[in-house]
Amino acid sequence: MSSLKTIAVLDESELKDGDMKQVDFEDEGKVLLSRLGDEVHATSAFCTHYGAPLAKGVLTADGRVVCPWHGACFNVCTGDIEDAPAPSALHRFKAEVRNGKIHVTADPGNTVKANFSRQPKLLATTATGTHGSGVVIVGGGAAAFHAIESLREHGYNGPITVLSKESYAPIDRTKLSKALVTDASKLEWRPASELLTKYGTALRLSTEVTSVDLGSKTVVVGSSKEHVPYETLILATGGTPRKLPVEGKDLSNVYTLRGVDDAKRIDAGVKEGTRLVVIGSSFISMELVVAVQKRNLASIDVIGMEEFPFETVLGKELGSALMKFHQSKGVKFHMKSKVSKIVPSASDSSKVGSVIVGLPSGQELELPADAVIMGVGVAPATEYLKASKGFEQAVDRTGAVTVDEYLRVKGLDGSVYAIGDIALYPQPGTGELRRIEHWNVAGNQGRAVGKTIAEGKGQPFVKVPIFWSAQGQQLRYCGVGAGFDDVIVDGNLDELKFVVYYLKQNKVIAVASMQRDPVVSKASELLRLGLMPSPDELRAGKDLLSVDIQTVKAKPKVA
């Protein structure tokens, strides 16, 4: 017996072209209605990433709904995923207009928040989908997961094999720094068993790749030199945390963060009463500062090379405001400084006792420390490619892998892709090669490559980068602001309620905001469509949210 119900949920007159509304559907159910021209569409109402109400996001005339929190995007006409970090599609419901009312037909169980995401279609080839060569993915992070999701979503029914150094299925790595979650089962996008049964994916954990043999189209694994064959290869090995080349860097309580085991060590080593020294004022460093602030530490000292934290990315004004916020929470900053050495404890030479800091005055300061977190960036995790003949022209001295607009590795036969933190890829519009260490970029590159492989035609990577950080009142950011030469500030930085526009050659290239959702979601779409207002318009008070991109009348500007 069908469990579908048809309910009149709204007067048609209340939903204009370009509108989105969340409406009730029996008991606790919710449905998102979207109108594009004369067409009314109905989907589940919440983002499948963290459950944000999509009605508070951004709708575009080409059917995209962008989450107001983290940039996940769906197609309102189909419910399908458009952009990461959405891990699942939305339910799509039948919507029709009768007698001036919008009627929605849905299974009520699929409208409640506990079941708002659509399960993947079971593959007809699941039983045989893990045998043979097919697609092999080296690396088990966000890029790998979204590549799997995209391959299946777009119809690829061959075998998929993932070779991962980690001991767990792909995780939501952002929760490591933002919340110091240490239970891998609470971080996994899908358990290994579900990746096998629902996605036909063989996940080989704790598996280290030592090289790639392009001639035989195999990946060489472990000390046994096992050769794993591939038809198409995706390199998605991410980054390796850097350590400053200073004395004492390898003491047992000097921590870096990349995986769950790192989070466990930090969690165990940073307790009430700890004197914590953080080297580097990066986003990872400062997110960990936020994560441990409530532990009643004895002290938190941050050492940074710039004048203000995040200065290179966010600028001096916003960096200064965020530094003041952290100072109000008891954090001490030592900026324009560098670490001279890390000194062992007098009572235990295997552990840190203090950190010697070179100050801008030329003097040195000794900071007592029970634990040190080193957040000074990551290097591409591509050591295995140094032993791989044929990659000499593609891998630069930093370990980055040069790819084309389709994310295919430079100079190879087109069957090898590189994505995520290791990929040096051309920027849309300029062609400038850049490596961007954003988690959303990795996810969206996985989705682009998955579609390219599944459909057999190139899917250029043109997504606008988006990231967020647990700073102040939740920072949002979109675009590529490297080399900005001016900023426009709308709002009050000291109150942490603002929009900051980053300009280069009198053009907006990036936007940051706090307590102004969904401005960054709207800005990412304006950058995509070429409809971003000019700096003069913004200085005159133009509101991004007033720019019409949601009605079918909206047309992109002609360059």
Side-chain angles (χ1 to χ4, degrees), residues 254-492:
V254 175
Y255 307 112
T256 58
L257 180 63
R258 179 66 184 176
V260 173
D261 289 342
D262 298 324
K264 287 179 179 178
R265 285 191 283 269
I266 295 171
D267 183 57
V270 181
K271 299 290 188 181
E272 182 177 353
T274 296
R275 297 171 297 179
L276 174 64
V277 173
V278 179
I279 300 174
S281 57
S282 65
F283 284 100
I284 294 293
S285 293
M286 298 310 299
E287 286 177 359
L288 282 169
V289 166
V290 173
V292 301
Q293 272 178 343
K294 295 179 181 179
R295 298 188 177 197
N296 195 26
L297 306 188
S299 59
I300 302 177
D301 290 272
V302 175
I303 304 163
M305 295 185 66
E306 301 169 313
E307 184 178 359
F308 301 107
F310 321 118
E311 182 178 327
T312 301
V313 177
L314 301 180
K316 290 181 181 292
E317 297 94 331
L318 182 47
S320 174
L322 291 172
M323 187 166 81
K324 290 176 183 176
F325 170 80
H326 284 290
Q327 287 172 326
S328 74
K329 304 294 183 181
V331 179
K332 297 178 182 177
F333 286 87
H334 310 275
M335 303 303 291
K336 301 180 73 173
S337 302
K338 62 181 181 179
V339 175
S340 302
K341 65 179 178 179
I342 300 172
V343 181
S345 167
S347 60
D348 185 345
S349 61
S350 71
K351 294 185 175 181
V352 170
S354 63
V355 177
I356 307 298
V357 183
L359 301 174
S361 65
Q363 297 179 316
E364 287 192 331
L365 173 67
E366 184 169 9
L367 297 172
D370 303 307
V372 171
I373 292 173
M374 201 175 284
V376 292
V378 301
T382 54
E383 283 294 315
Y384 62 99
L385 294 180
K386 292 182 179 178
S388 304
K389 185 178 179 180
F391 283 88
E392 295 84 359
Q393 297 302 311
V395 181
D396 72 9
R397 61 181 179 80
T398 71
V401 182
T402 305
V403 298
D404 65 14
E405 68 269 31
Y406 303 111
L407 304 172
R408 300 175 301 200
V409 176
K410 176 184 177 181
L412 303 187
D413 65 1
S415 66
V416 183
Y417 298 82
I419 57 179
D421 288 359
I422 68 173
L424 187 68
Y425 72 97
Q427 300 301 295
T430 67
E432 175 192 11
L433 291 175
R434 183 170 293 280
R435 189 171 66 85
I436 297 180
E437 298 167 2
H438 292 353
W439 183 72
N440 261 19
V441 169
N444 278 321
Q445 287 183 341
R447 288 191 55 76
V449 166
K451 185 174 183 181
T452 290
I453 296 168
E455 297 184 348
K457 57 183 179 181
Q459 176 70 24
F461 185 71
V462 294
K463 299 293 184 184
V464 175
I466 294 177
F467 76 83
W468 69 97
S469 183
Q471 305 299 316
Q473 303 296 323
Q474 298 296 320
L475 178 76
R476 320 276 189 214
Y477 182 100
C478 72
V480 180
F484 66 90
D485 52 35
D486 198 4
V487 298
I488 299 172
V489 177
D490 171 14
N492 190 313

Side-chain angles (χ1 to χ4, degrees), residues 283 310 313-315 318-319 322 465-469 474-481 484 487-493 496-503 508-521 523-524 527 532 538 544:
F283 284 100
F310 321 118
V313 177
L314 301 180
L318 182 47
L322 291 172
I466 294 177
F467 76 83
W468 69 97
S469 183
Q474 298 296 320
L475 178 76
R476 320 276 189 214
Y477 182 100
C478 72
V480 180
F484 66 90
V487 298
I488 299 172
V489 177
D490 171 14
N492 190 313
L493 294 178
L496 300 182
K497 188 172 184 179
F498 58 80
V499 180
V500 178
Y501 301 93
Y502 297 89
L503 314 181
V508 177
I509 57 172
V511 179
S513 77
M514 196 172 288
Q515 299 191 79
R516 294 283 293 272
D517 295 343
V519 164
V520 160
S521 294
S524 69
L527 288 169
M532 178 64 70
L538 294 170
L544 289 193

Side-chain angles (χ1 to χ4, degrees), residues 164-296:
S164 175
K165 285 180 65 175
E166 295 179 308
S167 60
Y168 36 79
I171 60 171
D172 184 345
R173 203 177 300 275
T174 63
K175 291 182 179 179
L176 294 178
S177 60
K178 292 174 171 63
L180 207 58
V181 178
T182 58
D183 184 345
S185 68
K186 295 180 179 178
L187 296 169
E188 290 175 340
W189 290 108
R190 302 277 187 271
S193 59
E194 188 172 328
L195 287 174
L196 178 63
T197 58
K198 293 188 176 180
Y199 292 85
T201 298
L203 180 59
R204 295 182 54 176
L205 301 174
S206 303
T207 299
E208 183 162 6
V209 169
T210 56
S211 64
V212 175
D213 188 331
L214 294 172
S216 64
K217 296 192 77 168
T218 59
V219 177
V220 184
V221 174
S223 58
S224 67
K225 303 298 182 183
E226 175 193 359
H227 283 244
V228 178
Y230 68 84
E231 293 173 6
T232 306
L233 180 62
I234 302 175
L235 305 176
T237 38
T240 300
R242 300 180 190 273
K243 278 194 172 184
L244 293 180
V246 297
E247 182 182 337
K249 65 182 174 59
D250 295 321
L251 291 171
S252 63
N253 51 345
V254 175
Y255 307 112
T256 58
L257 180 63
R258 179 66 184 176
V260 173
D261 289 342
D262 298 324
K264 287 179 179 178
R265 285 191 283 269
I266 295 171
D267 183 57
V270 181
K271 299 290 188 181
E272 182 177 353
T274 296
R275 297 171 297 179
L276 174 64
V277 173
V278 179
I279 300 174
S281 57
S282 65
F283 284 100
I284 294 293
S285 293
M286 298 310 299
E287 286 177 359
L288 282 169
V289 166
V290 173
V292 301
Q293 272 178 343
K294 295 179 181 179
R295 298 188 177 197
N296 195 26

